[in-house]
Amino acid sequence: DMNTIGTKSVDLPLTYSFAAATQGTDGRILYIEPVLGLGGNAAVVRGDGALLGRNPAWTNPEGWLNGAVVAGANETGFLVLHEIFQIAPGSPRRIISARIDDNARPIASSESNLPFNMLQRNEAIAGGDDNFIVIRQSLFEDNVNAYMLDPMGVYRGVQRNLVANPGGVRFLSSYQ
């Protein structure tokens, strides 16, 4: 019903930012803190404001830095897609899937295998009972595509074009 029952301050450093929320009666909110050159931390807060956990969520390989981060949730936890890259000119970028439970504990981290290697920050992630879906608009072609991910956040080749070349109409979900 969207009525505010009360407010509570959460004791997290300002370096954490909102990333995703679960649904249901026991809603949980994920906050992410990218750590320059090292990886990222996760904190989960219950709907009543209680901090349930604060843990390292992923570690970058040696020499790799954080790029964009996009997250989503299902009823039991969170999926964080995070981009990593090396500083050297022409070096590759990778998108890693990090699964985090609803108490901020890391479950798994793996290559996402998505058919692109850079997050545009206009992606949205939704979770179901046994999979996740990433929806993304191509900045260059205006297409809106959906990519099905398995429970660990790995792309297995199932993709659908939701909107093909909408005739110059931009459907951006965010702008930076």
Side-chain angles (χ1 to χ4, degrees):
D1 61 4
M2 299 297 290
N3 290 324
T4 302
I5 304 168
T7 60
K8 182 176 180 182
S9 295
V10 179
D11 187 23
L12 287 174
L14 294 176
T15 50
Y16 279 81
S17 60
F18 169 79
T22 64
Q23 55 185 351
T25 57
D26 188 30
R28 313 253 170 143
I29 302 168
L30 173 68
Y31 293 89
I32 291 291
E33 176 192 45
V35 180
L36 183 64
L38 299 176
N41 297 321
V44 173
V45 176
R46 197 170 50 214
D48 66 3
L51 180 63
L52 298 176
R54 187 171 151 196
N55 296 299
W58 72 85
T59 303
N60 292 347
E62 182 73 30
W64 291 76
L65 303 174
N66 291 318
V69 175
V70 180
N74 63 12
E75 296 230 2
T76 61
F78 303 94
L79 171 65
V80 177
L81 294 179
H82 60 96
E83 177 185 299
I84 58 174
F85 64 93
Q86 293 177 308
I87 294 177
S91 65
R93 290 177 175 264
R94 296 163 48 196
I95 299 174
I96 307 298
S97 293
R99 283 285 281 126
I100 300 166
D101 76 8
D102 60 358
N103 288 307
R105 292 181 301 250
I107 297 170
S109 183
S110 57
E111 292 285 340
S112 70
N113 292 335
L114 283 161
F116 47 87
N117 64 359
M118 190 156 87
L119 295 171
Q120 300 173 157
R121 293 187 173 100
N122 71 352
E123 296 84 1
I125 300 174
D129 292 337
D130 59 357
N131 55 39
F132 289 88
I133 189 169
V134 176
I135 300 180
R136 164 191 171 121
Q137 179 184 4
S138 169
L139 293 180
F140 304 109
E141 300 167 0
D142 290 336
N143 294 331
V144 178
N145 295 305
Y147 303 88
M148 184 70 69
L149 307 180
D150 71 13
M152 290 298 112
V154 176
Y155 175 68
R156 302 289 184 196
V158 179
Q159 171 186 345
R160 298 289 182 266
N161 186 289
L162 304 178
V163 178
N165 194 7
V169 177
R170 302 296 295 193
F171 293 104
L172 290 176
S173 60
S174 64
Y175 179 78
Q176 184 153 358

